[in-house]
């Protein structure tokens, strides 16, 4: 049964470290319309959850009390994406029929074609054969147009130019043991490329990068934003072995893009020389390993985004596949989003603050040992300067294996929304503490 508490603030004290306390005994006589809080039964009122007109663009009402994303039923093929609102997968960019596709060119354009044989001067009739040569010849504000081909090089952009490939299906920049494309200039643009190597794309300190229509397959790191400002849109970051997207100081807006099959972490934000702010809009984080979205002492804002199917790593025994995990004074804001089908914990807030609005957290599965399966867990680390806290407004939590919300040594505030259909594990039929809107 789905239930909701009205404007409740519940403070629970008693967790002083990283080790999870033993589950509280279940009081006798708790009915279907009650929650266990601090070992006692607390009555709640039946709630209606989210109404149909509260569903954001890209989401539809499930006919009960939650909003679900519009996405294809089957996984997208390699090199294609779907974000909330797309019922079918799509390629990242049109390739066109011409040698340089639909790239917008002018008299200042430098042309690159790896297949050209002859003396190069950067014109359409005598293009450069490497991207680096085109970059070196480009004047500020110029476009470097890149034809189909494989380009095994480390491209460094130090001026205000646009790198524009015909399309990521056909233009592959392989950085080998280095970075495929590194940008250290203000107002540089990179688009229409497939990027590989140890690191796909890097925005170095103080850079301003706009990236679009990219397929990034960095062997270790896909995209790194280092104390700079970057926007990534309509792009796919796939199969990075360490970190798919890493923000270390500065700001990153990840928009209408997909992180898929990251082999360690999906999106990560942490301070560098300065503070870090990660904004994720209209995007999908799908099948990451260990953590879909992680932040430490950083600000993260998710809107109209889906984080799902995070899996445990074969390299450790923790068994975690958290959807979202923030800690050490992070600030987390999630609105109009869905966090579903993750392992152990959907959203974990540790010595940080979270605000969730009009969001569904569903189908959190137990870890491989059958433990946990919690929609939202809020706690504080021993000695932390700031106690963990969470504010939930119109949040729906359903079918989480162990508990809707667990809180340790922290404060959870809820208003509106609903929770229910929790399937508790045998040894702990209810959470130690639960509070939700």
């Amino acid at each position: 049964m789905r239930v909701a508490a009205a404007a409740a603030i519940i403070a629970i004290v008693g967790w002083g470290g990283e080790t999870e306390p033993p589950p509280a005994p279940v009081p006798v006589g708790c009915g279907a319309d009650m929650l266990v809080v601090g070992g006692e039964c607390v009555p709640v009122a039946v709630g209606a959850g989210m109404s149909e007109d509260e569903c954001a663009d890209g989401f539809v009402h499930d006919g009960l009390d939650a909003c679900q994303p519009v996405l294809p039923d089957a996984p997208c093929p390699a090199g294609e994406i779907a974000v909330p609102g797309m019922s079918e997968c799509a390629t990242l960019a049109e390739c066109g029929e011409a040698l340089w596709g639909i790239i917008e060119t002018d008299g200042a354009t430098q042309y690159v074609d790896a297949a050209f044989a002859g003396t190069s001067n950067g014109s359409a009739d005598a293009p450069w054969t490497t991207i680096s040569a085109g970059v070196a010849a480009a004047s500020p504000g110029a476009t470097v147009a890149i034809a189909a081909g494989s380009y095994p090089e480390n491209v460094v952009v130090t001026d205000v130019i646009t790198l524009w490939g015909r399309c990521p299906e056909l233009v592959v920049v392989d950085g080998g043991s280095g970075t495929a494309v590194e940008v250290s200039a203000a107002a540089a643009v990179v688009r229409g490329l497939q990027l590989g190597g140890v690191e796909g794309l890097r925005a170095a300190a103080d850079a301003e990068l706009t990236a679009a229509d990219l397929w990034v397959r960095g062997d270790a790191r896909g995209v790194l934003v280092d104390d700079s400002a970057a926007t990534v849109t309509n792009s796919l970051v796939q199969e990075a072995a360490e970190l798919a997207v890493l923000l270390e100081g500065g700001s990153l807006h990840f928009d209408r893009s997909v992180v898929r099959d990251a082999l360690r972490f999906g999106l990560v934000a942490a301070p560098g020389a300065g503070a870090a702010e990660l904004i994720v809009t209209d995007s999908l984080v799908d099948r990451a390993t260990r953590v879909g979205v992680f932040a430490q002492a950083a600000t993260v804002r998710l809107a109209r985004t889906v984080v799902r199917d995070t899996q445990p790593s074969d390299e450790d025994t923790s068994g975690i596949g958290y959807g979202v995990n923030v800690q050490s004074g992070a600030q987390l804001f999630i609105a109009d989003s869905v966090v579903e089908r993750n392992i152990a914990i959907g959203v974990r807030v540790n010595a940080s603050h979270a605000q969730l609005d009009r969001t569904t957290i569903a189908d959190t599965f137990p870890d491989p040992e059958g433990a946990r399966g919690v929609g939202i867990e809020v706690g504080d680390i021993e000695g932390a300067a700031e106690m963990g806290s969470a504010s939930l407004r119109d949040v729906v939590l359903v079918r989480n294996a162990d508990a809707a919300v667990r809180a340790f040594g922290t404060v959870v505030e809820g208003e509106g929304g609903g929770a229910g259909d929790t399937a508790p594990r045998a040894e702990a039929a209810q959470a130690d503490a639960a509070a939700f809107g």
Side-chain angles (χ1 to χ4, degrees):
M1 186 173 189
R2 299 173 187 234
V3 292
I9 299 177
I10 302 178
I12 299 131
V13 179
W15 188 39
E18 291 279 13
T19 302
E20 185 176 332
V26 181
V28 176
C30 279
D33 294 339
M34 291 187 173
L35 297 173
V36 178
V37 177
E40 298 181 358
C41 295
V42 177
V44 294
V46 175
M50 286 180 280
S51 62
E52 187 171 349
D53 59 5
E54 289 181 289
C55 294
D57 290 344
F59 294 76
V60 295
H61 202 262
D62 66 358
L64 296 172
D65 55 11
C67 301
Q68 292 296 317
V70 176
L71 286 167
D73 294 332
C76 290
E80 296 187 8
I81 67 168
V83 298
M86 296 174 62
S87 59
E88 297 182 358
C89 301
T91 56
L92 292 162
E94 181 182 345
C95 292
E97 298 297 330
L99 186 58
W100 285 279
I102 60 171
I103 299 172
E104 298 173 6
T105 62
D106 57 25
T109 298
Q110 296 293 316
Y111 294 86
V112 178
D113 182 3
F116 177 72
T119 301
S120 300
N121 60 20
S123 66
D125 294 329
W128 307 108
T129 57
T130 67
I131 300 171
S132 295
V135 169
S139 58
T143 294
V144 178
I146 308 164
S150 179
Y151 298 86
E153 52 183 306
N154 306 112
V155 180
V156 179
V157 178
T158 59
D159 214 335
V160 182
I161 63 172
T162 296
L163 290 187
W164 194 340
R166 178 176 169 182
C167 65
E169 287 181 70
L170 301 178
V171 184
V172 181
V173 185
D174 187 349
S177 61
T179 302
V181 175
E182 179 174 336
V183 174
S184 59
V189 177
V190 179
R191 61 184 301 181
L193 302 173
Q194 184 180 154
L195 305 177
V198 168
E199 192 170 80
L201 176 65
R202 174 188 286 258
D206 301 320
E208 295 180 12
L209 168 67
T210 299
D213 310 333
L214 298 181
W215 182 6
V216 184
R217 308 181 75 175
D219 293 338
R221 293 170 297 278
V223 176
L224 174 60
V225 178
D226 182 9
D227 283 304
S228 53
T231 298
V232 176
T233 188
N234 192 53
S235 294
L236 169 63
V237 185
Q238 186 174 13
E239 298 173 347
E242 292 181 6
L243 304 168
V245 179
L246 173 61
L247 170 66
E248 285 191 307
S251 64
L252 170 61
H253 185 185
F254 194 78
D255 176 55
R256 294 192 62 79
S257 295
V258 174
V259 170
R260 187 162 72 226
D261 296 327
L263 302 182
R264 191 167 180 84
F265 289 86
L267 292 154
V268 177
E277 181 176 39
L278 171 64
I279 301 172
V280 185
T281 53
D282 303 289
S283 293
L284 171 64
V285 182
D286 197 15
R287 302 195 303 266
T289 301
R290 296 200 67 190
V291 182
V293 179
F294 175 80
Q296 180 167 306
T299 299
V300 174
R301 302 178 188 275
L302 307 181
R304 302 176 304 280
T305 289
V306 178
V307 183
R308 69 183 188 187
D309 295 325
T310 311
Q311 300 297 313
S313 170
D314 294 333
E315 299 176 356
D316 63 56
T317 59
S318 67
I320 66 170
Y322 298 160
V324 180
N325 183 21
V326 297
Q327 63 186 44
S328 305
Q331 299 287 315
L332 172 65
F333 303 89
I334 305 179
D336 302 302
S337 296
V338 171
V339 180
E340 64 180 357
R341 303 198 305 257
N342 300 291
I343 305 295
I345 300 174
V347 176
R348 184 173 187 255
V349 182
N350 207 335
S352 300
H353 173 71
Q355 179 175 314
L356 280 66
D357 297 274
R358 301 175 306 281
T359 289
T360 298
I361 302 175
D363 299 304
T364 307
F365 302 118
D367 62 30
E369 296 185 355
R372 294 180 290 185
V374 179
I376 303 174
E377 182 173 283
V378 186
D380 63 337
I381 300 172
E382 185 176 8
E386 181 179 345
M387 183 173 66
S389 62
S391 175
L392 315 180
R393 304 177 201 170
D394 298 320
V395 173
V396 174
L397 301 107
V398 291
R399 301 181 304 275
N400 298 290
D402 187 355
V405 178
R406 300 183 71 174
F408 308 107
T410 188
V411 173
V412 177
E413 178 183 74
E415 180 176 350
D421 295 346
T422 296
R425 67 180 190 263
E427 64 272 27
Q430 293 282 354
D432 298 297
F436 49 92

